[in-house]
Amino acid sequence: MTRISRYLLRELLVPLGVWVAFMFLLLFVMQFLRGTDVLLGSSVTVMDLGRLVAYLTPHFLMTALPVAFLLAILLGLGRMGEDRELTALQALGVGPLRLVAAPLGVAVAISALMLLLTSTAQPWGLTGVKLLVSEVIRKNVVGDVKPGTFYEDLSDLTLYAEQVSTENGKWTNVLLHDDRESSSPMLVLAHAGQVGTSSRGEVLRFALENGEVHRSVRESKDYSIIHFDGAEISVGVGASMGKRGRFTSSKEELTPGELLQAAEEARARGENPRMTLMALHSRLGGSLAPIAFALLGTPLAIGRRQAGRAWGYLLTLGGYVLYYLLSRAFEQLGQQGRLPVVLAGQLANVVFMLVGAVALYRVSRTGTLR
């Protein structure tokens, strides 16, 4: 590796590390604020928050790495242009094609890391988040349901227990009002009850004993009462958190192999697997975004006469927003069958690479983008 390459790498890697850390912190705070109703419950421990950070780290890195890398290119090389270091390098015969080698090498390494994360750590982490959140919800329900007090922190559910055992968490004389179906709300009265979760943590289960169910239909005068010796009411974790508190989507929790298997199962059922395959190729396309950013960002940084941090921030924001809009537009076309899913997943990268190639050619010929 030449001294120039090492110098360029240092100019890229230092701001890359700083901006990855900043973006990670920003994303975590934003996600944390979405789930404060759950994560700030009385039963949440520091260990729970540590596990949450560990589970969400791969997911946040998948978002932070491309943005931080584009910003590092524009600020790092832009700083060199502002200090006339690029002019000095060009006077020594170092052309734009040599300058793009270092960012492209870093981009390939980042893309390889992102492919590894999206295939292993990200699905593992998002699955762990679902299990952790369901566990925290269960502990909050157990810890926050106080004797003689209505508990209303679950979406569309109200709980009441006359007595709560501190030893086994069992409730006595339980009232549960379920308003998830607004047209036919349900009132459950039971002599005893307890809350648990499913084996995969996706569902809260309220096990009730010796009670009755009252259900009415608001559009009519129908009213029914059902007596039971034992009953179980299941509540999905996503539903119990409400829309603002959801952390993941189901497809993000699947590995590429599991997505391919889901597509094959959809074909076997006679269904169209396009949605599942589009999710797979969108993730692969996002993993290769740093390469497209390197090919576009480098000529933008070295070919502009205007430099400065404000310009770098603005160009990074605009570039990433444009990339996101293109990705979503092509993804929609792929889901609708107007584009092959393989092409739809990579087309945003192809557009950025082509624009970057044109910009690099203009910089090589004239020294600027003009």
Side-chain angles (χ1 to χ4, degrees), residues 29 31-41 140 244-245 247:
V29 170
Q31 194 70 276
F32 183 85
L33 292 176
R34 291 180 59 193
T36 51
D37 292 344
V38 174
L39 300 176
L40 295 181
N140 286 344
R244 292 192 309 162
F247 289 87

Side-chain angles (χ1 to χ4, degrees), residues 89-164:
L89 289 175
Q90 290 173 353
L92 294 173
V94 179
L97 291 178
R98 288 188 61 185
L99 292 176
V100 80
L104 190 58
V106 176
V108 171
I110 293 176
S111 292
L113 175 61
M114 292 178 65
L115 285 172
L116 179 63
L117 289 176
T118 196
S119 301
T120 56
Q122 185 185 24
W124 165 82
L126 295 182
T127 302
V129 167
K130 177 176 284 188
L131 296 174
L132 174 62
V133 169
S134 64
E135 177 185 334
V136 168
I137 290 175
R138 184 189 64 81
K139 290 196 299 183
N140 286 344
V141 172
V142 172
D144 292 350
V145 173
K146 306 300 182 184
T149 303
F150 286 94
Y151 179 82
E152 300 178 313
D153 287 352
L154 296 177
S155 179
D156 299 322
L157 291 173
T158 301
L159 291 172
Y160 174 88
E162 185 177 353
Q163 298 178 3
V164 177

Side-chain angles (χ1 to χ4, degrees), residues 126-359:
L126 295 182
T127 302
V129 167
K130 177 176 284 188
L131 296 174
L132 174 62
V133 169
S134 64
E135 177 185 334
V136 168
I137 290 175
R138 184 189 64 81
K139 290 196 299 183
N140 286 344
V141 172
V142 172
D144 292 350
V145 173
K146 306 300 182 184
T149 303
F150 286 94
Y151 179 82
E152 300 178 313
D153 287 352
L154 296 177
S155 179
D156 299 322
L157 291 173
T158 301
L159 291 172
Y160 174 88
E162 185 177 353
Q163 298 178 3
V164 177
S165 173
T166 57
E167 297 179 358
N168 55 18
K170 205 162 188 178
W171 304 333
T172 304
N173 295 333
V174 181
L175 178 151
L176 188 151
H177 183 263
D178 186 348
D179 200 26
R180 288 175 293 174
E181 295 184 14
S182 58
S183 60
S184 56
M186 181 172 62
L187 176 67
V188 183
L189 305 174
H191 287 290
Q194 197 167 18
V195 64
T197 58
S198 63
S199 58
R200 295 191 60 182
E202 299 175 354
V203 176
L204 290 175
R205 300 188 183 278
F206 295 95
L208 305 174
E209 304 173 5
N210 191 16
E212 55 188 26
V213 178
H214 298 251
R215 181 183 289 274
S216 63
V217 179
R218 288 175 175 170
E219 296 180 355
S220 66
K221 297 182 179 180
D222 295 340
Y223 190 91
S224 58
I225 302 177
I226 302 174
H227 297 272
F228 61 86
D229 294 326
E232 184 176 86
I233 297 178
S234 300
V235 181
V237 169
S240 64
M241 292 176 65
K243 292 182 179 179
R244 292 192 309 162
R246 297 177 187 174
F247 289 87
T248 66
S249 66
S250 58
K251 289 185 176 63
E252 290 179 324
E253 299 162 18
L254 301 178
T255 64
E258 290 171 339
L259 286 172
L260 289 174
Q261 182 180 355
E264 291 298 327
E265 292 175 354
R267 287 194 186 97
R269 295 192 301 267
E271 301 174 358
N272 193 334
R274 183 175 295 275
M275 296 290 288
T276 303
L277 292 175
M278 192 65 252
L280 170 62
H281 289 286
S282 293
R283 284 165 58 179
L284 295 178
S287 300
L288 299 180
I291 298 176
F293 289 171
L295 293 175
L296 179 61
T298 303
L300 287 179
I302 66 179
R304 295 281 297 187
R305 296 304 183 193
Q306 180 185 6
R309 291 183 179 273
W311 171 81
Y313 297 145
L314 181 62
L315 199 54
T316 299
L317 178 61
Y320 188 75
V321 169
L322 178 61
Y323 180 86
Y324 176 79
L325 293 176
L326 287 176
S327 299
R328 293 295 297 170
F330 294 140
E331 183 179 347
Q332 291 293 327
L333 293 175
Q335 292 174 351
Q336 297 168 6
R338 298 182 182 181
L339 285 175
V341 292
V342 177
L343 179 61
Q346 299 294 338
L347 198 51
N349 291 330
V350 173
V351 171
F352 267 50
M353 290 178 183
L354 291 176
V355 174
V358 173

